[in-house]
């Protein structure tokens, strides 16, 4: 499979995954999105771009702040997510949000079009994160702010799965690796030209039951490589069994801890 074929399959898998999440909004998804707006105080009349907007959690909150003189554009390639966002927007009667069905990685806007650009929890899905940040820098007006959120390398059971793979001689690369530390986030922002960089952290982890924690279905996303696609059903069964053993070893009386240390990152175009 060449790079282009892999990208097409990867993007299709991501779309299908998010299209299947027909009731996406809950306390957890909302609680991990909105701190971006605490980090970046929006103002009336601003123009905001929300990339990988999903169900519009950030876009709707932003639209209510910037008001009728402002505008929010939300971009996503999941029609299922956008349909949920559309229903919420219509219910609220908001007139200052435009939703665009497109791949956020490839969409283009005029230079200096936005006061604020936001991307909640989705930057790791981009194939070229430095390239994306460079484009966002161009899209921002002078003095504009970009904000994104991401998880630490230790989050979302990635280390457990990587260890289980290693036990089966499979090298699995962590999707959270490029932005998985505060230092990496700062370096990426500096390399893209941003200044006044700020990174805040929030632990959004929780305990799950052992059965919930063991319920990995074999899925894995990575924008550049996924060795699990090449496994036979027998190899996948062995890997899932090893994963379950690793999870059982982590179990406590409270359950199995699901680590989710989240970074909320902002920077300014001076």
């Amino acid at each position: 499979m060449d790079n282009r074929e892999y990208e097409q399959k990867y993007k299709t898998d991501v779309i299908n995954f998010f299209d299947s999440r027909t009731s996406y909004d809950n306390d957890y998804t909302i609680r991990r999105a909105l701190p971006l707006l605490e980090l970046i105080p929006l103002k009336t009349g601003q123009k905001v771009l929300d990339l990988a907007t999903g169900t519009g959690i950030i876009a709707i909150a932003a639209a209510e702040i910037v008001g009728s003189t402002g505008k929010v554009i939300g971009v996503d390639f999941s029609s299922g997510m956008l349909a949920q966002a559309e229903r919420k927007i219509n219910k609220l009667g908001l007139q200052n949000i435009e939703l665009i069905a497109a791949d956020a990685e490839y969409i283009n806007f005029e230079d200096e079009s936005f006061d604020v650009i936001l991307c909640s929890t989705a930057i790791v899905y981009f194939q070229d994160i430095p390239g994306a940040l460079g484009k966002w820098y161009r899209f921002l007006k002078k003095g504009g702010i970009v904000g994104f959120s991401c998880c630490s390398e230790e989050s979302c059971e990635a280390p457990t799965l990587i260890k289980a793979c290693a036990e089966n001689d499979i090298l699995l690369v962590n999707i959270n690796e490029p932005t998985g530390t505060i230092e990496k986030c700062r370096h990426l922002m500096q390399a893209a030209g941003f200044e006044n960089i700020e990174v805040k952290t929030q632990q959004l982890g929780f305990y799950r039951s052992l059965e919930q924690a063991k319920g990995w279905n074999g899925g894995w996303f990575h924008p550049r490589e996924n060795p699990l696609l090449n496994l036979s059903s027998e190899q996948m069964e062995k890997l899932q069994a090893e994963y379950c053993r690793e999870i059982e070893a982590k179990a406590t009386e409270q359950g199995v801890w699901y680590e989710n240390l989240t970074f909320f990152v902002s920077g300014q175009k001076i």
Side-chain angles (χ1 to χ4, degrees), residues 79-195:
S79 58
M81 292 275 110
L82 290 177
Q84 293 179 61
E86 191 76 55
R87 286 194 293 271
K88 292 192 295 182
I89 291 166
N90 291 339
K91 186 175 180 180
L92 292 167
L94 294 170
Q95 302 294 316
N96 60 343
I97 300 184
E98 177 187 355
L99 298 178
I100 299 176
D103 187 330
E105 187 153 20
Y106 291 112
I107 196 166
N108 265 305
F109 295 95
E110 294 290 327
D111 291 359
E112 300 187 8
S113 294
F114 299 97
D115 298 292
V116 176
I117 296 176
L118 303 169
C119 182
S120 174
T121 69
I123 194 169
V124 293
Y125 289 94
F126 286 53
Q127 290 193 306
D128 181 5
I129 294 174
L133 288 169
K135 283 175 66 173
W136 302 354
Y137 187 89
R138 284 197 295 104
F139 296 164
L140 279 176
K141 299 174 185 177
K142 192 171 182 179
I145 298 175
V146 71
F148 68 86
S149 56
C150 54
C151 297
S152 73
E153 292 177 343
E154 303 301 312
S155 293
C156 309
E157 294 294 7
T160 307
L161 184 53
I162 289 169
K163 185 178 179 183
C165 284
E167 293 292 332
N168 286 271
D169 298 318
I170 300 166
L171 177 62
L172 196 64
V173 179
N174 190 340
I175 192 173
N176 294 319
E177 186 273 332
T179 56
T181 67
I182 292 173
E183 293 73 21
K184 287 179 178 179
C185 291
R186 286 189 177 278
H187 176 75
L188 283 165
M189 292 287 275
Q190 287 168 347
F194 290 101
E195 299 182 38

Side-chain angles (χ1 to χ4, degrees), residues 46-96:
Q46 286 184 318
K47 189 173 181 182
V48 179
L49 175 63
D50 183 28
L51 292 162
T53 191
T55 62
I57 294 171
I58 288 281
I60 289 170
E64 291 176 329
I65 297 170
V66 301
S68 59
T69 58
K71 183 173 183 180
V72 177
I73 295 177
V75 179
D76 206 293
F77 58 14
S78 165
S79 58
M81 292 275 110
L82 290 177
Q84 293 179 61
E86 191 76 55
R87 286 194 293 271
K88 292 192 295 182
I89 291 166
N90 291 339
K91 186 175 180 180
L92 292 167
L94 294 170
Q95 302 294 316
N96 60 343

Side-chain angles (χ1 to χ4, degrees), residues 15-55:
I15 290 169
N16 290 340
F17 173 73
F18 282 103
D19 279 353
S20 72
R21 300 181 69 176
T22 55
S23 55
Y24 180 83
D25 292 8
N26 56 46
D27 177 65
Y28 172 70
T29 56
I30 293 169
R31 194 161 50 90
R32 72 176 182 177
L34 293 182
L36 259 186
L37 296 184
E38 296 170 10
L39 185 63
I40 302 169
L42 300 178
K43 299 173 184 175
T44 302
Q46 286 184 318
K47 189 173 181 182
V48 179
L49 175 63
D50 183 28
L51 292 162
T53 191
T55 62

